[in-house]
């Protein structure tokens, strides 16, 4: 893990970040490893925001910087995709507008070979259910940073059960506030606080069942 890149993320040092990212890509390093370092930096930014050391403006600045860096990395991730792995619907449920963790996951999932449908942030229960009905994903993902949305995640999964759609998909939840207890409460199949680990689980599910494009 690159301490320099993580430190640069904490200082919002765009020149240093872009320089190191480009050098590592040119040296042929796996883009996933670079994303892992960026994620570590973003996690620390989030922790400093939560502790009051950083303000909302700095949190937004880090998110904007991450988006610009990922614009460089994403094409390299897409080159790595060896096969189509299936469809993922992902979003941040109603009551939460955080998107950094979700965006990291979406980027690496696309690069791995998944067809990703990002519903965005503050998404109503009904919109998630409609997306599952129309898109027929293999995996449904929730990204959350607020405990207040746990109930909405449960409502979505319960609605899928009632409509007979739950058995056809895997459900994964991610975010720093999620735990194994939350996973059980929501009715999900897996929980993580790490976007890269989340991707690895989705890839494992895909190897258990090789999905085909419609």
């Amino acid at each position: 893990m690159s301490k320099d890149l993580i430190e640069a993320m904490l200082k919002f040092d765009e020149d240093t970040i872009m320089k190191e990212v480009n050098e590592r890509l040119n040296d042929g390093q796996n883009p996933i490893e670079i994303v892992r370092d960026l994620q570590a930096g973003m996690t620390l930014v989030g922790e400093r925001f939560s502790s009051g050391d950083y303000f909302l403006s700095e949190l937004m600045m880090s998110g904007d910087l991450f988006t610009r860096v990922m614009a460089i990395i994403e094409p390299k991730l897409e080159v790595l995709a060896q096969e189509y792995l299936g469809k993922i619907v992902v979003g941040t449920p109603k009551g939460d507008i955080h998107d950094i963790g979700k965006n990291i996951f979406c980027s690496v999932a696309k690069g791995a070979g998944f067809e990703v449908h990002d519903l965005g942030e503050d998404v109503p229960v009904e919109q998630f259910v409609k997306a599952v009905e129309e898109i027929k994903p293999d995996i449904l993902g929730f990204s959350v940073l607020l405990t207040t949305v746990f109930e909405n995640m449960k409502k979505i999964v319960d609605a899928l059960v009632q409509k007979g759609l739950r058995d056809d998909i895997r459900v994964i939840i991610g975010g720093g506030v999620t735990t194994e207890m939350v996973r059980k409460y929501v009715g999900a199949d897996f929980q993580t606080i790490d976007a890269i680990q989340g991707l690895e689980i989705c890839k494992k599910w895909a190897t258990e069942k090789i999905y085909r494009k419609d």
Side-chain angles (χ1 to χ4, degrees):
M1 189 169 287
S2 170
K3 293 183 179 179
D4 290 340
L5 185 55
I6 295 173
E7 185 66 25
M9 287 295 293
L10 285 173
K11 294 179 178 178
F12 316 112
D13 185 348
E14 183 172 354
D15 290 340
T16 298
I17 293 170
M18 293 299 186
K19 181 175 182 292
E20 177 164 344
V21 167
N22 279 304
E23 287 178 350
R24 290 168 69 175
L25 288 174
N26 290 334
D27 288 343
Q29 188 170 124
N30 188 332
I32 291 291
E33 295 303 316
I34 303 174
V35 174
R36 189 181 293 277
D37 288 348
L38 292 171
Q39 177 183 258
M42 293 300 296
T43 298
L44 291 177
V45 169
E47 290 175 356
R48 293 192 179 185
F49 172 73
S50 297
S51 66
D53 293 322
Y54 280 178
F55 298 103
L56 180 60
S57 59
E58 291 166 309
L59 186 66
M60 294 174 65
M61 187 187 306
S62 67
D64 181 63
L65 178 54
F66 172 79
T67 299
R68 294 201 299 277
V69 177
M70 286 307 299
I72 298 173
I73 298 176
E74 280 191 12
K76 301 293 185 180
L77 287 168
E78 292 172 1
V79 170
L80 296 178
Q82 298 295 313
E83 60 182 334
Y84 174 79
L85 296 180
K87 298 178 185 178
I88 298 178
V89 165
V90 62
T92 303
K94 186 72 175 178
D96 194 338
I97 61 171
H98 296 92
D99 65 356
I100 293 174
K102 173 178 66 60
N103 292 345
I104 294 174
F105 175 78
C106 288
S107 294
V108 295
K110 289 176 185 176
F114 284 101
E115 177 184 320
V116 179
H117 297 262
D118 182 1
L119 303 183
E121 305 77 50
D122 201 28
V123 182
V125 171
E126 298 77 13
Q127 188 174 340
F128 271 105
V129 176
K130 182 178 179 182
V132 171
E133 289 178 317
E134 294 180 350
I135 298 171
K136 296 180 175 57
D138 305 292
I139 299 168
L140 172 63
F142 302 123
S143 175
V144 301
L145 276 183
L146 298 177
T147 59
T148 52
V149 301
F150 291 169
E151 187 62 29
N152 279 336
M153 288 194 291
K154 185 178 189 306
K155 287 180 179 178
I156 295 165
V157 175
D158 286 348
L160 296 179
V161 172
Q162 292 173 4
K163 289 178 174 288
L165 300 171
R166 178 63 179 91
D167 291 341
D168 296 329
I169 62 174
R170 300 288 185 96
V171 178
I172 183 170
I173 62 174
V177 297
T178 63
T179 64
E180 176 63 13
M181 186 178 297
V182 174
R183 180 197 70 77
K184 291 179 179 179
Y185 175 73
V186 170
D189 298 299
F190 192 81
Q191 170 273 330
T192 182
I193 60 173
D194 185 289
I196 307 301
Q197 182 190 36
L199 170 65
E200 293 305 314
I201 291 300
C202 291
K203 289 169 63 177
K204 178 178 180 293
W205 287 340
T207 61
E208 294 171 356
K209 173 185 176 183
I210 301 301
Y211 307 117
R212 295 183 179 178
K213 276 189 177 180
D214 293 337

